[in-house]
Amino acid sequence: MERIWIAGPCAAESHDQLLDTAAQIAEQAQEKSITLNYFRAGAWKVRSAPDSFAGAGDAALPWLQEVQNTYHIPVCVEILNAKHVELCAKHGIHVVWVGARTSVNPVEVQKIADAVKHSGFTVMVKNPMIPDLKLWIGNIERFLKADIQNVMAIHRGFPDVRENIYRNSPYWNIPIELKVRMPELPILCDPSHLCGKVEWIPEVAQLAMNYGFNGLMIECHPNPGQALSDADQQMLPSDWADMISHLDLRNDSADLELIKQRSTLENIDNQISTLLYQRMKMVDEIAEIKRKNHISVVQPQQWQQVVKRYTKHPEDPSYQTFIEHFLELLHQSSIERQK
Ligand code: PEP
Ligand code: MN
């Protein structure tokens, strides 16, 4: 399977930032023999807070055109409305994506689909902010019905009321189910927005490859610390190239049923590790309260009640043994931490 690699900054900040990022990515790609399929940048950023940097806007299009002409890499941008489609076409940009915030609104998505109808554009559709596969599929179908030949999906994770170790909860089963329902549709992963932190990205990128994703969209910035948006999740171009060249891409024959089960298991592991981490943080707070009030760290009766509540599995003796050991370990670790 040929993979699709997309890299570029979160936002188009300035002419020099775009050209500099493109130069570094192109150089790194050449050095490591990586075929960069598309250079990405957000000209119009949809931000939650009103004072956040919202991209350079229309002014970014000639800069992006310059990137395209100088490095011969097709550029892709996020579009929010029909007017953006027109502006892109005017500047020779024919690859666009619909972002997660637009993707929640099928009325807006339909307007964009009408605007790109029969245009020969390539359109990527990010998952909506809510974990609703039907909505995601509906958006994809709007572009297929608009005679767009090249439609792709991008999995970027889902914001969650529950805290997660990642910026967005992965719910891997959702894009995998999309693969089951639309086997011909290329599905990419965007580990940058999924993770929200640069250090998580390589392992999540590898996980996506193991699950048979068709490519990756990665945010890169020549100076991530100075980035005007998503500073924590943008990679240096050299780190990006290093990561791509170290990916293990041997999963081509992996069975979809097995991938489905594994990805569901990964969701569970993700939740367990998130909860355990939260629990340890909670323990620290409780320790502080106990210290202030001169209460002893160990309160055996209370813990015995907990054990009693969660070890009622006589029908499954091996689980019973496991959960007893596990709770014991949890208890001991909490006590050590409080001390
Ligand atoms: C982006 O890719 O720049 C972006 C804003 O992503 P999302 O719509 O997934 O948040
Ligand atoms: Mn971003």
Side-chain angles (χ1 to χ4, degrees):
M1 185 207 299
E2 277 293 313
R3 297 309 207 287
I4 297 160
W5 306 132
I6 306 175
C10 175
E13 298 174 1
S14 66
H15 170 271
D16 291 358
Q17 170 251 8
L18 282 183
L19 273 290
D20 189 19
T21 314
Q24 291 191 28
I25 292 177
E27 187 191 331
Q28 289 292 329
Q30 193 180 22
E31 211 171 277
K32 304 238 160 64
S33 308
I34 300 164
T35 305
L36 180 70
N37 299 80
Y38 306 107
F39 179 85
R40 67 148 281 156
W44 307 280
K45 303 296 297 177
V46 193
R47 304 305 302 277
S48 302
D51 296 331
S52 300
F53 176 66
D58 300 6
L61 294 174
W63 310 335
L64 288 166
Q65 198 169 19
E66 190 178 332
V67 166
Q68 198 160 249
N69 294 338
T70 310
Y71 297 101
H72 308 289
I73 302 164
V75 163
C76 59
V77 296
E78 176 176 350
I79 48 166
L80 314 182
N81 53 45
K83 186 186 131 232
H84 293 164
V85 175
E86 199 183 308
L87 280 167
C88 283
K90 221 165 98 187
H91 289 86
I93 295 166
H94 299 108
V95 186
V96 295
W97 80 86
V98 175
R101 288 161 189 81
T102 308
S103 203
V104 288
N105 186 343
V107 177
E108 288 305 314
V109 174
Q110 187 58 51
K111 287 183 197 161
I112 295 172
D114 292 340
V116 291
K117 202 166 189 161
H118 312 304
S119 66
F121 268 51
T122 291
V123 180
M124 299 178 277
V125 183
K126 288 204 170 192
N127 66 260
M129 298 291 265
I130 48 172
D132 181 345
L133 179 58
K134 255 167 89 176
L135 183 58
W136 196 4
I137 288 179
N139 289 338
I140 291 161
E141 285 172 344
R142 289 171 198 280
F143 291 102
L144 294 173
K145 279 174 181 280
D147 190 34
I148 296 298
Q149 307 295 319
N150 214 355
V151 181
M152 297 186 259
I154 304 180
H155 172 50
R156 48 83 76 209
F158 301 89
D160 206 327
V161 283
R162 289 176 300 184
E163 199 181 310
N164 199 279
I165 46 173
Y166 302 132
R167 178 178 177 187
N168 288 290
S169 288
Y171 294 114
W172 292 104
N173 56 307
I174 295 178
I176 303 297
E177 185 59 30
L178 177 60
K179 189 90 195 153
V180 172
R181 304 231 195 133
M182 304 183 96
E184 303 303 321
L185 179 82
I187 306 180
L188 316 186
C189 183
D190 167 356
S192 307
H193 290 91
L194 197 158
C195 296
K197 259 204 194 99
V198 102
E199 61 257 41
W200 299 102
I201 294 175
E203 64 206 38
V204 169
Q206 182 61 57
L207 207 52
M209 296 298 99
N210 299 349
Y211 294 155
F213 279 74
N214 300 83
L216 297 172
M217 176 187 262
I218 306 282
E219 288 189 341
C220 290
H221 195 284
N223 191 352
Q226 299 296 309
L228 301 181
S229 60
D230 288 350
D232 293 343
Q233 70 190 36
Q234 301 209 54
M235 294 182 103
L236 284 170
S238 54
D239 290 342
W240 164 77
D242 211 39
M243 173 182 81
I244 298 290
S245 60
H246 283 98
L247 288 171
D248 179 354
L249 301 175
R250 289 173 303 176
N251 84 313
D252 279 7
S253 56
D255 180 86
L256 203 51
E257 197 50 42
L258 181 61
I259 287 178
K260 224 170 133 170
Q261 305 296 354
R262 282 203 177 132
S263 65
T264 306
L265 199 60
E266 176 64 30
N267 288 345
I268 296 173
D269 290 344
N270 171 276
Q271 287 170 39
I272 292 174
S273 73
T274 300
L275 288 172
L276 285 176
Y277 185 64
Q278 269 175 341
R279 192 185 192 285
M280 283 303 178
K281 294 275 160 219
M282 205 69 230
V283 163
D284 294 350
E285 285 175 30
I286 290 173
E288 186 54 26
I289 295 170
K290 284 182 179 168
R291 194 186 60 78
K292 273 193 200 145
N293 294 292
H294 311 288
I295 302 171
S296 81
V297 164
V298 191
Q299 290 174 299
Q301 311 90 318
Q302 199 175 321
W303 182 250
Q304 276 159 19
Q305 292 302 317
V306 174
V307 173
K308 213 171 128 202
R309 278 201 295 282
Y310 298 117
T311 55
K312 293 197 185 76
H313 297 275
E315 79 294 348
D316 188 341
S318 85
Y319 180 70
Q320 177 76 20
T321 309
F322 161 75
I323 194 66
E324 284 168 9
H325 285 157
F326 177 74
L327 289 175
E328 179 57 26
L329 177 65
L330 203 57
H331 189 43
Q332 283 311 326
S333 312
S334 301
I335 291 171
E336 273 162 37
R337 206 172 161 104
Q338 291 184 60
K339 280 179 178 161

